[in-house]
Amino acid sequence: MLRPTIRKRILGIALGLIFLMAITSALSTVMTRKIAHQLDELSSKYVEAYGHLARVNVRSLEQALALRRMAIAKMQMPPDNAGFAERQKVYEGMWADIDREAQAARALINAIIDDPSTESDNAKLGRIDDRIEHVSSDLRRYLDDEYKRLLPLLESGSFAEARASLIRTDALRDEFNRKIDEIRADMLAQVRADAKITMRDQNTAIIISVILTVLASVVGLLFSIFVSVGITRPVRRLLDGTRAVEAGRLDGSIDVTTRDEIGQLTTAFNKMVEQLRLKEELRETFGRYVDPRVVEGLIDRQGPTAGDGERRVMTVLFCDMKGFTRLSEGMTPQGLVKVMNHYLSTMSGPIRSHRGIIDKYIGDAIMAYWGPPFTEHSEQARLACLAAVEMANRGQALRTELPELIGVRTVPSDCEVRIGIATGEVLVGSIGSEFMMSYTVMGDAVNLASRLENANKVYGSHSLASEAAIMAAGDAVESREVDRIVVVGQTNPEAVFEIIGRAGELTEPQLVLLARYAEGLAAYRARRWDEARRAFQAALEAVPGDGPSMAMAERVETFRANPPPADWDGAWRLDQK
């Protein structure tokens, strides 16, 4: 009686285990198919729709570039009609690309909405679909209207009105890109929501599999582990990668361990990260050619650098290295580039660290400026003078580095940094031609800074600044009045000051130098030549080799032999730029 019962129980247990395993298998199959379907929808519909929207942005920018090239071809002298026609064809042909990408995104979104087997926020997706339709149609209508107004302007040569039309076109396209970015952000939120749903269903499948596996057998448990390892881990890696991209970390990629939908999604994700990384590298590359603060202002049409030009009080700095041309003679092109880059990097560092804008490099010369909107008006002269102090210090260190760079034992003794600084009203804005513009400054203050940089040759000094710059800098630096000069192109004398160092950092000999030099300068202007000579000699005893003292002492000797005319105003007139 026991054997049949035992057999039945054993058979029942076996049948129960088989039944449970069959249920586990069936449930696992159903849920795996559901998850696979959701993953397929995520990778082939959600992500692809997001990709099409991203390409709408790209095509729009390419079309904007084609329109610019059309205008340039027509505006140049003589007009490039063949190039204009070719670019016009490219421009008009891009509408089809934009429409195709937009329609492809809408088709995928509608496919998601029409699929009842997966969970999705159809209301939000429907609104996204409507927004794509409206944005695309509105862009085409508005830009077509502006484009039709632009063509006659270009044909008739009304280039000023054509440029205004281009500005309106850019504004419309910027608005379009902004709306597409908002749609992309909403679509990305849907992608993440679908990924969370997939993750939730996956966790549910794991729980059911674990429970049934415990009741069924070790085989069920192993199957559950297999499912967990095979599906959960790649999804979590993908989720971690998405969070890393959201945090701005684009330096990694996710290993593709499967060939299923998760593997396809991971591959698409890696390609997306690579595209983002390339765009970031391009942005960083352009940032090395134009100051990022200037670029941001130019891109923002409402920003302070977007105007046609205005007059502002700014501080301008010029710097070059005396004897650099002679030093570079006989160097190979590669060596010269290496030395130039090292020199310009060394001199540019203090400018950037003191919030200055490097305007341009002119051979071994550097032009920079400070002022609104990049620095406060009250700080610009102080920052420029502090930058000059650090540049002069780095110039001394650079002389010890140059022999190793160029492969010589020593460099010429006259290889020294010269700096000129002036504060005054300048014209600032985007200046240039219809082919290329540059955001820069120009005016008397710019010319004065350049003349003061060159005036260092006359006085044997390193850093000369205008009176306005020194007064505005306040007590940030120690300085001395060197002379009153009339530079080329001006008629009124300008008090010129030498920047000695940071405030409170002068040595005792330097303090004696400043006192004796001031005495000598006062006697010099009063025509007391003997008293001026003694004062300048005392200054040289305090700091031997002081350039301004040597220059003024030599000038006193000249005036002792040949006194200046009776109407002499004490100013020295420079005859070189």
Side-chain angles (χ1 to χ4, degrees):
M1 295 296 296
L2 293 177
R3 292 178 62 183
T5 303
I6 292 173
R7 286 198 300 269
K8 289 179 180 178
R9 289 180 180 178
I10 293 174
L11 182 59
I13 293 172
L15 292 175
L17 290 174
I18 293 172
F19 179 75
L20 290 175
M21 291 177 64
I23 293 177
T24 302
S25 177
L27 288 175
S28 298
T29 301
V30 170
M31 298 200 70
T32 300
R33 287 181 178 177
K34 180 180 179 181
I35 293 170
H37 181 63
Q38 290 175 337
L39 289 171
D40 179 73
E41 183 179 70
L42 180 63
S43 61
S44 63
K45 295 179 182 177
Y46 278 93
V47 174
E48 284 297 323
Y50 182 83
H52 285 301
L53 292 175
R55 286 189 287 274
V56 168
N57 271 125
V58 174
R59 298 293 182 266
S60 175
L61 293 175
E62 290 175 347
Q63 190 182 45
L65 179 59
L67 184 61
R68 281 286 178 183
R69 289 176 174 173
M70 282 174 55
I72 291 173
K74 182 61 72 174
M75 291 179 181
Q76 67 184 8
M77 299 301 295
D80 183 5
N81 293 323
F84 173 83
E86 180 181 351
R87 290 172 176 84
Q88 182 180 19
K89 183 178 180 181
V90 172
Y91 173 84
E92 295 176 354
M94 284 184 178
W95 282 120
D97 295 336
I98 294 176
D99 291 340
R100 183 169 57 254
E101 297 292 350
Q103 293 305 318
R106 292 186 62 202
L108 291 172
I109 292 172
N110 288 321
I112 297 172
I113 295 174
D114 295 336
D115 188 358
S117 62
T118 56
E119 293 184 35
S120 59
D121 194 336
N122 292 341
K124 290 184 178 180
L125 290 172
R127 286 193 292 269
I128 291 174
D129 177 58
D130 291 337
R131 288 164 63 192
I132 295 173
E133 180 182 8
H134 291 313
V135 169
S136 179
S137 61
D138 290 347
L139 169 72
R140 183 65 176 269
R141 184 173 66 257
Y142 294 146
L143 286 180
D144 271 345
D145 293 340
E146 198 60 44
Y147 177 68
K148 292 176 181 178
R149 285 192 289 268
L150 175 63
L151 288 180
L153 295 175
L154 291 175
E155 291 295 339
S156 63
S158 302
F159 296 144
E161 297 179 6
R163 280 189 285 270
S165 178
L166 287 173
I167 292 174
R168 291 193 298 272
T169 300
D170 289 342
L172 290 172
R173 196 173 298 279
D174 289 343
E175 178 66 14
F176 167 73
N177 289 333
R178 183 185 66 77
K179 291 182 179 180
I180 288 296
D181 286 339
E182 292 175 354
I183 295 173
R184 287 172 57 193
D186 292 343
M187 191 63 199
L188 183 59
Q190 293 302 307
V191 173
R192 290 173 179 165
D194 190 75
K196 289 181 180 179
I197 292 173
T198 304
M199 193 66 186
R200 182 200 66 193
D201 292 342
Q202 176 60 36
N203 291 334
T204 302
I206 293 173
I207 293 173
I208 294 175
S209 296
V210 170
I211 294 175
L212 293 178
T213 299
V214 170
L215 296 175
S217 63
V218 177
V219 176
L221 179 61
L222 293 176
F223 179 79
S224 174
I225 295 174
F226 173 77
V227 172
S228 176
V229 172
I231 299 178
T232 306
R233 186 175 298 171
V235 171
R236 288 177 177 171
R237 283 201 299 265
L238 187 60
L239 186 58
D240 291 340
T242 303
R243 289 171 177 167
V245 172
E246 184 180 10
R249 299 192 299 272
L250 305 175
D251 54 348
S253 60
I254 302 175
D255 295 334
V256 180
T257 58
T258 62
R259 297 183 179 180
D260 56 11
E261 292 81 3
I262 298 179
Q264 297 173 14
L265 180 60
T266 304
T267 300
F269 178 83
N270 288 337
K271 290 181 179 179
M272 180 187 71
V273 172
E274 179 65 23
Q275 292 177 356
L276 293 174
R277 188 186 301 121
L278 289 175
K279 291 179 180 179
E280 187 65 22
E281 290 174 356
L282 286 173
R283 181 175 166 223
E284 292 176 358
T285 299
F286 282 112
R288 297 177 63 187
Y289 289 87
V290 181
D291 192 287
R293 290 171 291 176
V294 176
V295 173
E296 289 175 5
L298 293 173
I299 292 176
D300 182 5
R301 295 288 175 176
Q302 305 301 321
T305 63
D308 294 332
E310 58 181 306
R311 291 199 170 274
R312 298 177 186 159
V313 174
M314 303 188 79
T315 300
V316 184
L317 177 147
F318 276 85
C319 166
D320 79 346
M321 178 170 280
K322 177 184 177 183
F324 193 87
T325 301
R326 184 161 63 87
L327 178 67
S328 62
E329 291 178 354
M331 295 177 60
T332 63
Q334 294 81 3
L336 180 58
V337 169
K338 180 179 179 181
V339 171
M340 283 288 292
N341 288 344
H342 181 72
Y343 159 69
L344 293 174
S345 297
T346 301
M347 292 296 105
S348 300
I351 297 174
R352 295 296 294 271
S353 63
H354 288 84
R355 292 183 284 164
I357 301 294
I358 297 176
D359 184 84
K360 61 176 70 71
Y361 296 121
I362 312 168
D364 63 325
I366 303 173
M367 175 184 169
Y369 58 85
W370 284 258
F374 310 108
T375 53
E376 295 295 332
H377 175 74
S378 59
E379 293 184 327
Q380 55 175 294
R382 178 181 65 85
L383 292 172
C385 291
L386 291 175
V389 172
E390 187 174 342
M391 291 169 72
N393 294 335
R394 290 196 181 188
Q396 296 175 1
L398 183 65
R399 291 191 61 206
T400 65
E401 300 170 0
L402 285 178
E404 182 178 353
L405 282 175
I406 62 180
V408 298
R409 293 185 178 180
T410 59
V411 297
S413 59
D414 63 348
C415 190
E416 297 177 344
V417 172
R418 299 181 307 203
I419 300 170
I421 300 176
T423 298
E425 187 178 78
V426 298
L427 175 64
V428 56
S430 296
I431 301 171
S433 68
E434 61 187 32
F435 305 106
M436 185 175 71
M437 305 291 288
S438 175
Y439 187 82
T440 187
V441 296
M442 58 189 303
D444 290 341
V446 179
N447 296 332
L448 179 58
S450 177
R451 304 293 189 269
L452 292 181
E453 179 272 314
N454 195 56
N456 285 288
K457 299 178 184 178
V458 176
Y459 295 97
S461 53
H462 296 293
S463 302
L464 292 180
S466 67
E467 183 177 13
I470 293 298
M471 294 300 102
D475 57 358
V477 294
E478 300 284 358
S479 63
R480 61 169 164 177
E481 183 179 359
V482 174
D483 199 358
R484 294 174 66 239
I485 64 175
V486 179
V487 300
V488 176
Q490 293 186 0
T491 57
N492 296 324
E494 175 82 25
V496 178
F497 292 76
E498 181 186 18
I499 300 174
I500 307 298
R502 290 178 178 270
E505 296 183 357
L506 297 189
T507 62
E508 187 64 29
Q510 287 177 318
L511 294 174
V512 174
L513 168 69
L514 296 186
R516 300 290 82 79
Y517 190 91
E519 294 172 0
L521 187 60
Y524 163 81
R525 290 173 177 170
R527 299 171 179 256
R528 300 193 299 271
W529 310 122
D530 292 337
E531 182 181 341
R533 180 177 64 174
R534 288 192 298 271
F536 289 132
Q537 289 298 329
L540 287 171
E541 291 174 3
V543 179
D546 178 59
S549 298
M550 295 173 63
M552 294 302 289
E554 181 179 351
R555 191 184 300 171
V556 166
E557 293 299 327
T558 301
F559 282 158
R560 287 184 66 204
N562 299 289
D567 60 349
W568 180 63
D569 59 359
W572 188 259
R573 283 162 174 77
L574 299 180
D575 56 359
Q576 294 181 351
K577 293 185 178 182

